[in-house]
């Protein structure tokens, strides 16, 4: 666990030096490249870490017994994930190579997005490394790839370009079908999160939580029925192991993470007027964090629902965190005028406090780099 505690420090702190205005794009680019390298090293060498590690390893080894691309039809995984790995396996049969390549691709994609769109790369990098997303990318590989494609699609909501957004979401389904969930959010995310909207959404989330098992079981049974009728190419199949009471990980994400994201969202929402005043498009950053929280809350009773937060949590940490901290700083600047040091102290305390909270929760749970889900069968004692 020490590796994951040191990661946000080692990978994040140099950004506060390199991303100063006097260094311009060059300093920003050097830092993001450095951050990508740090992520790649940690993620690429964590063999055995992660709930899905063994399943992905066995799939990769299975390619050794497949002679052609046509043989991939026997796998119940998206071909956008299988095909590149099948090609890689022909040259490198060792699964460790695959995990390192995957780590590099994920790390580069995140670093490039931070370089292009983050208002504060150092804050975004530290939040990504300390507040949960890095643990997702070391577990749910297919869905993480899909979420990263969606991350780039989210940019087109601000540009009001539905065709490109839709095209990227469809591309994301090549890695995980659940990306289809994001199609209506091109319109939903345009709604500014105001106190009234917050109450409405929260009421809906509470009702969904109450009927969570009924909703998910009905959807899973429907998909299984459609698959049996020959429509497996259009609906998710073989998810019966997620039915209520059938698996040990039916429960969703740890309550500590729901509380952590809740506190983070409330902190930012307290300064939402200053956030919107600086740039009205910051409403998207607030919405990203809110829907991360909403899906984690709704998914407390079911892992398959809380996993949908992957499509928001990357943008939430990378974009919302620096925006929220800047809103708090602007509030201090407005109220206390020349006493800007108070703003620096406030934002620094929030960064350190939330980081300690998230990493401490992982440490106390013994997750050690594994995604924070309730899994009684997960033995972390032998992990790095």
């Amino acid at each position: 666990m020490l590796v994951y505690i040191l990661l946000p420090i080692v990978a994040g702190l140099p950004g506060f030096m390199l991303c100063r205005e006097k260094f311009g794009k060059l300093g920003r680019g050097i830092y993001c490249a450095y951050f990508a390298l740090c992520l790649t090293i940690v993620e690429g060498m964590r063999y055995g870490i992660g709930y899905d590690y063994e399943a992905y390893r066995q799939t990769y080894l299975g390619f050794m017994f497949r002679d052609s691309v046509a043989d991939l039809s026997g796998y119940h995984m998206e071909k956008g994930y299988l095909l590149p790995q099948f090609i890689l396996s022909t040259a490198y049969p060792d699964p460790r190579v695959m995990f390192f390549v995957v780590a590099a691709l994920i790390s580069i994609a995140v670093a490039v997005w931070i370089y292009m769109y983050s208002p504060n790369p150092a804050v975004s990098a530290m939040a990504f490394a300390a507040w949960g997303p890095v643990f997702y990318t070391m577990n749910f590989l297919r869905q993480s790839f899909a979420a990263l494609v969606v991350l780039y699609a989210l940019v087109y909501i601000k540009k009001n370009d539905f065709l490109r957004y839709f095209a990227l979401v469809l591309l994301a389904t090549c890695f995980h079908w659940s990306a289809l969930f994001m199609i209506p959010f091109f319109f939903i995310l345009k709604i500014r999160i105001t106190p009234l909207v917050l109450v409405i959404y929260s009421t809906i989330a509470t009702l969904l939580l109450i009927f969570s098992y009924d909703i998910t079981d009905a959807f899973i049974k429907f998909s299984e029925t459609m698959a049996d009728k020959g429509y497996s190419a259009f609906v998710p199949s073989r998810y019966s192991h997620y039915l209520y009471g059938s698996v040990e990980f039916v429960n969703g994400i740890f309550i500590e993470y729901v509380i952590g994201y809740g506190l983070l969202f409330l902190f930012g929402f307290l300064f939402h007027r200053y956030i919107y005043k600086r740039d009205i498009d910051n409403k998207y950053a607030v919405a990203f964090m809110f829907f991360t929280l909403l899906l984690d809350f709704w998914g407390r009773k079911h892992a398959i629902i809380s996993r949908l937060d992957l499509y928001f949590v990357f943008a939430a940490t990378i974009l919302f965190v620096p925006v929220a901290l800047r809103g708090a700083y602007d509030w201090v600047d407005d109220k206390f005028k020349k006493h800007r040091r108070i703003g620096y102290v406030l934002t620094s305390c929030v960064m350190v406090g939330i980081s300690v909270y998230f990493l401490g929760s992982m440490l106390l749970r013994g997750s050690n780099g594994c995604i924070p889900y309730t899994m009684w069968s997960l033995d972390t004692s032998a992990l790095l």
Side-chain angles (χ1 to χ4, degrees), residues 278-341:
R278 175 169 285 274
D279 186 350
I280 190 60
D281 285 333
N282 284 337
K283 66 181 182 182
Y284 298 115
V286 177
F288 296 150
M289 180 54 74
F290 175 74
F291 282 104
T292 297
L293 171 62
L294 185 147
L295 286 166
D296 284 346
F297 174 72
W298 178 19
R300 272 290 297 149
K301 292 172 64 177
H302 210 299
I304 202 171
I305 297 175
S306 56
R307 280 177 58 172
L308 292 174
D309 84 336
L310 264 77
Y311 297 112
F312 297 102
V313 73
F314 293 162
T317 50
I318 292 173
L319 193 58
F320 172 81
V321 174
V323 163
L325 292 178
R326 184 69 197 193
Y329 178 85
D330 286 347
W331 176 82
V332 171
D333 192 44
D334 182 45
K335 298 297 182 182
F336 300 96
K337 302 302 179 184
K338 297 181 180 181
H339 298 283
R340 295 187 175 183
R341 290 184 179 179

Side-chain angles (χ1 to χ4, degrees), residues 190-244:
K190 292 180 179 293
I191 302 173
R192 192 190 310 182
I193 305 295
T194 63
L196 176 60
V197 172
L198 186 62
V199 170
I200 294 173
Y201 281 162
S202 299
T203 301
I204 294 173
T206 302
L207 291 174
L208 291 174
L209 180 67
I210 295 172
F211 299 102
S212 177
Y213 291 143
D214 294 330
I215 294 172
T216 50
D217 279 9
F219 173 75
I220 292 170
K221 290 176 180 177
F222 169 77
S223 68
E224 294 281 343
T225 300
M226 294 297 289
D228 290 340
K229 292 182 178 181
Y231 296 99
S232 58
F234 305 101
V235 297
S237 61
R238 298 186 180 277
Y239 273 78
S240 59
H241 54 290
Y242 277 99
L243 291 171
Y244 171 59

Side-chain angles (χ1 to χ4, degrees), residues 6 25 67 72 79 95 114 165 185 225 257 319 321 332:
L6 293 176
K25 291 184 177 180
D67 297 324
L72 297 181
K79 299 306 181 283
I114 289 176
Y165 175 85
F185 279 93
T225 300
Y257 262 56
L319 193 58
V321 174
V332 171

Side-chain angles (χ1 to χ4, degrees), residues 91-162:
Y92 303 101
D94 190 335
R96 290 176 295 181
V97 175
M98 179 269 288
F99 282 102
F100 194 85
V101 170
V102 166
L105 291 174
I106 290 174
S107 302
I108 292 171
V110 171
V112 169
W113 204 95
I114 289 176
Y115 172 81
M116 295 176 63
Y117 304 112
S118 171
N120 191 322
V123 171
S124 295
M126 292 187 74
F128 185 88
W131 298 0
V134 69
F135 300 115
Y136 284 84
T137 61
M138 293 197 294
N139 292 265
F140 306 129
L141 301 189
R142 290 183 297 131
Q143 200 165 4
S144 290
F145 272 118
L148 286 170
V149 176
V150 169
L151 177 64
Y152 281 83
L154 293 174
V155 175
Y156 292 107
I157 300 178
K158 178 180 177 180
K159 296 180 179 180
N160 203 32
D161 190 339
F162 179 74

